[in-house]
Amino acid sequence: MANFGGAYNTIAFDANKCDGCGDCMTACATAKVGVGDTARSRIQIVGSADDGFELALCRQCADPKCVTVCPAAALTKNYASGVIDWNGDKCVDCLLCTVGCAYAGIALDAGTGHVAKCDTCDGAPACVPACPHDALTYVTTSRIYNEVGDWEDLFAPGLAGCQGCNTELLMRHTLRRVGPETVLATPPGCVPGMGSVGFNGTTGTKIPVFHPLLTNTAAMLAGIKRQYKRVGREVNALAIAGDGGASDVGFQSLSGAAERNEQILFMVVDNEGYMNTGMQRSSCTPYGAWTSTTPIGKGSGGMPAQGKTQDAKNLPLIMVNHRCEYVATASTAYMEDLYDKLDRAIQASKRGFAYLHVYSPCTTGWRFPTDQNMEVARKAVETNFVMLWEYNRTDGLRFTRPVDDPLPVTEYLKAMGRFRHLSPDQISHIQAKVVENLAFVKQMAHRQSA
Amino acid sequence: MTEHTKYLVVGSSHAALEAVTAIRMHDAEGSLTLLTRDPHLPYSPTVLPYVVSGRFAPDGIFLRDEKFFARLGVQLKRGTALKALHAERNAAELADGSEIAYEKILLATGASPAIPPIPGLDQVSYHVLRTLDDATKLNAAIKNSKQAVVLGAGLVGMHAAENLVKAGAKVTIVEMAKQLTDGYFDAIAAGLIEKAFTDNGATILTGSRVVKLAPSAVGAMLTLENGTTLEADLLLVATGVRPNMDYLAGSAVEHDRGILVSDSMQTSVPNVWSAGDCAQAKGFFTDDKVMNAILPDATEQGRIAGMAMAGDPGLKQYPGGVPLNTYHFFGRHAISVGSSRVPEGGEMVTRFDEASGRYLKAIFSADNRLTGIYGVNEFFDGGVMCQLILRRIDLSPVKQRFLAEPMKVGREIMSKTWR
Ligand SMILES: Cc1cc2nc3c(=O)[nH]c(=O)nc-3n(C[C@H](O)[C@H](O)[C@H](O)COP(=O)(O)OP(=O)(O)OC[C@H]3O[C@@H](n4cnc5c(N)ncnc54)[C@H](O)[C@@H]3O)c2cc1C
Ligand code: SF4
């Protein structure tokens, strides 16, 4: 049944931002029936006196009950757009569909005597831009899945990563996007550990992959890229390295390649430590975090051990100071943003050095349940613990997903075990650091764009 | 050679179609045969009033086409009835004498009009409305009718009566019960419906029983209990339905008023399931098995049966049938969801505005769960109300607001349960 597997755009509602102004309903009614009568809008905001606003809107279900109970075949799931289409020529006004829907997504329009429902205005919903508070968004991420789903997966079908590992997602998406005309460098770390360099004499990728030393990844890759250029073959030179390999011992060759503006794309999978070898600290490990080399316990000399005592190095900002062709931070919880950046990084790597820093939660090393990866990644952004931005020499630095109203950092910290021991003082230190980092990046964004 | 199929689905209406979809969700390959006695492609009995009225051509109402079945790898056999079920050897005997051996069978044969035992009825010609062929015949007859009589004021009879009124006939509705739409709507709602009909020129005789029929010059002569007579050039019998299960004669499949099924739609016999208007399953408000012959329940039961037959681990047991009716008459709407019985210690609240004809009735259990809600010209979302009932949502904190604005508060609650 070829009907499954597609992803669709959808209208999302953030109840916290809604103040019940009703502008979306006016816009909908105006677009659909030519008058601003909110009762006739297909999106209905209902206020509960005490606690905010709720929504009645067609969810465009994948397995729609309204369609199954319609006796007239007037409702059909459109597998191209995802929308449930209503055909007024067939409808007999029996209202059975309204009995089928649990969310009042299809209801009687007293003005016409027929049922009415949201059709997403053919992909440009009138309600969304009408909302003055950004409570409504039209989520178009599906575009990525539909497009990417058809591309070849260039990573091994089976792999040795931990269950729930974010890096697998990143590998599969990134390799799909860069495509088969690519040479991949994966220095020691989780990426080769989970299988990119292969097993039993075969590679774990369907593209050439090599395993440089931790110290010389950027140098080796730059040399290979130059050789390809010399023989006149266009390839993407891609490194996928861990934060340890990039920010610690590998930094010298990374910095050198950036300074020489080598035409490579260097992606860092930042899981904030040497997770592959037993969860040791790296210079990207954040303050207060437990690792096997920043333990929790009695400590010595009367100083209890409370996790890492230094703040993390901000590697992507250091890369900005190399004035690279392109530098960006990204997160798998924001795929659309990640893809935009991948596209720009690939383009930039044809001209010079492109650097992409992906914040990548680690279920094993950070101590959170395997199904919580996206939640942890999202919380990091929602609290401003990490920030999503991009930089190029012409436009400077700009936030791609500014968080206007950040959650307290504790919302992030409490999502995992490596921060469980934190004292109130340590938490204040981290919260202060978040504020300071934000101010710093904001200042850069401001300065660069001025 | 006997034909063999993994899944045999009998019937081609709502319950059967949902079962086919559910089976194919889980088992894309297993051989599947859909057998129906109807000669046409699948359609819903519910739209037949619109074939009668002429709004739709008979070939404009099909729910699926041949391509659908081809795409799903379903063999469709039309115009062939199941004559006898030989469950002991997993075989279905068809009207044409052939046999199909099955691994699993679904009986989704729905219902047919129940014909009351009135003396003389077999001497006159009359219409019923359940199949497309019935509707086509009635559509032809309606154009020439000057004086029509409808026996039975259930929703089928009322729909047809409205068609006849609109076609210009003088229509009389004869109903044994004291009110119209008995069992669907209460006396106040029925009064509103009756008024709409009489305002449009229909005559309504409730509490009346036809005791005799005889052929007459124009068609049929009806004699009522009180001695009055009526003449009809068109007679429609719409006095309820009875499940199609004659093929069970001699089989071990337990049946009562319908085919008795478990919460996964399985009958008393292995490899045999049943769903829809022919099945008798648990009620939501009682553990007794009830007949809940409505379209939404037919789809729900059909889906459960299909999932059970295919061994889909996602199967959720049947929560029990909730009565649900929507009725559209002369541009107005009546909706009923749930039970009209007030549970012990419970409460019934009504609101009626005679001027506008807006009527609302809500019934709550002792612990403030909604058990039933009825409205005429008072719009609320039937699906939302049904969920409030099924999920037994505690309405204590919002009861007064709910009664003032059932639509708004219902939407609010369901939106909350979603997020
Ligand atoms: C005029 C009218 C209006 C209605 N309006 C509403 C409404 O507004 N709301 C509502 O909820 N419900 C309404 N209903 C009822 C609704 O249509 C039924 O509940 C629903 O169709 C039941 O579906 P089903 O699949 O169980 O059976 P059915 O629709 O009865 O279908 C039974 C199928 O089995 C086939 N069949 C029967 N016997 C055999 C056999 N021996 N061998 C092979 N095949 C067989 C038939 O050909 C048919 O395909 C209405 C019904 C009518 C007639
Ligand atoms: S009101 Fe129209 S769309 Fe809804 S179920 Fe009835 S016929 Fe179908």
Side-chain angles (χ1 to χ4, degrees), chain B residues 11-15 36-37 45-46 81-82 108-111 130 276-277 294-296:
Chain B
S12 60
S13 183
H14 293 289
T36 179
R37 74 174 175 196
T46 302
L82 169 66
T109 47
R130 183 74 189 192
D277 279 12
I294 54 170
L295 193 162

Side-chain angles (χ1 to χ4, degrees), chain A residues 160-167 190 271 274-280 290-292 360-373 376 416-418:
Chain A
C162 304
Q163 188 176 24
C165 175
N166 197 50
T167 309
C190 290
N271 55 14
Y274 292 84
M275 300 316 189
N276 179 53
T277 47
M279 299 168 275
Q280 294 87 357
W290 167 88
T291 67
S292 59
S360 187
C362 167
T363 165
T364 309
W366 297 14
R367 305 282 169 201
F368 60 80
T370 52
D371 62 350
Q372 289 298 301
N373 210 317
V376 171
M416 63 206 100
R418 65 172 173 158

Side-chain angles (χ1 to χ4, degrees), chain A residues 379-409:
Chain A
K379 283 272 158 30
V381 173
E382 287 175 346
T383 55
N384 271 333
F385 189 83
V386 304
M387 286 160 269
L388 301 182
W389 49 259
E390 68 178 0
Y391 161 88
N392 66 54
R393 285 197 291 269
T394 321
D395 308 314
L397 188 149
R398 75 175 184 97
F399 287 92
T400 56
R401 255 197 147 275
V403 179
D404 304 331
D405 203 1
L407 299 172
V409 77

Side-chain angles (χ1 to χ4, degrees), chain A residues 66 69-72 74-75 86 90-98 106 115:
Chain A
C66 59
V69 297
C70 176
L75 290 163
W86 174 74
K90 287 194 158 183
C91 177
V92 297
D93 306 322
C94 68
L95 298 193
L96 275 166
C97 49
T98 70
I106 184 161
V115 291

Side-chain angles (χ1 to χ4, degrees), chain A residues 237-261:
Chain A
L238 171 69
I240 303 184
D243 52 289
S247 70
D248 296 344
V249 283
F251 183 67
Q252 166 277 129
S253 74
L254 170 62
S255 177
E259 183 255 336
R260 297 190 306 276
N261 207 24

Side-chain angles (χ1 to χ4, degrees), chain B residues 85-153:
Chain B
L85 179 68
H86 303 292
E88 68 294 345
R89 53 185 171 90
N90 291 348
E93 181 187 334
L94 310 192
D96 63 11
S98 65
E99 268 199 12
I100 301 180
Y102 60 81
E103 287 171 37
K104 298 172 182 193
I105 189 170
L106 174 65
L107 306 171
T109 47
S112 291
I115 305 303
I118 305 173
L121 184 56
D122 52 355
Q123 309 294 311
V124 301
S125 81
Y126 62 88
H127 289 266
V128 293
L129 183 57
R130 183 74 189 192
T131 67
L132 182 52
D133 293 344
D134 294 341
T136 312
K137 274 187 235 150
L138 190 52
N139 168 264
I142 216 168
K143 292 173 187 141
N144 307 319
S145 174
K146 306 244 164 346
Q147 48 186 132
V149 172
V150 175
L151 281 194

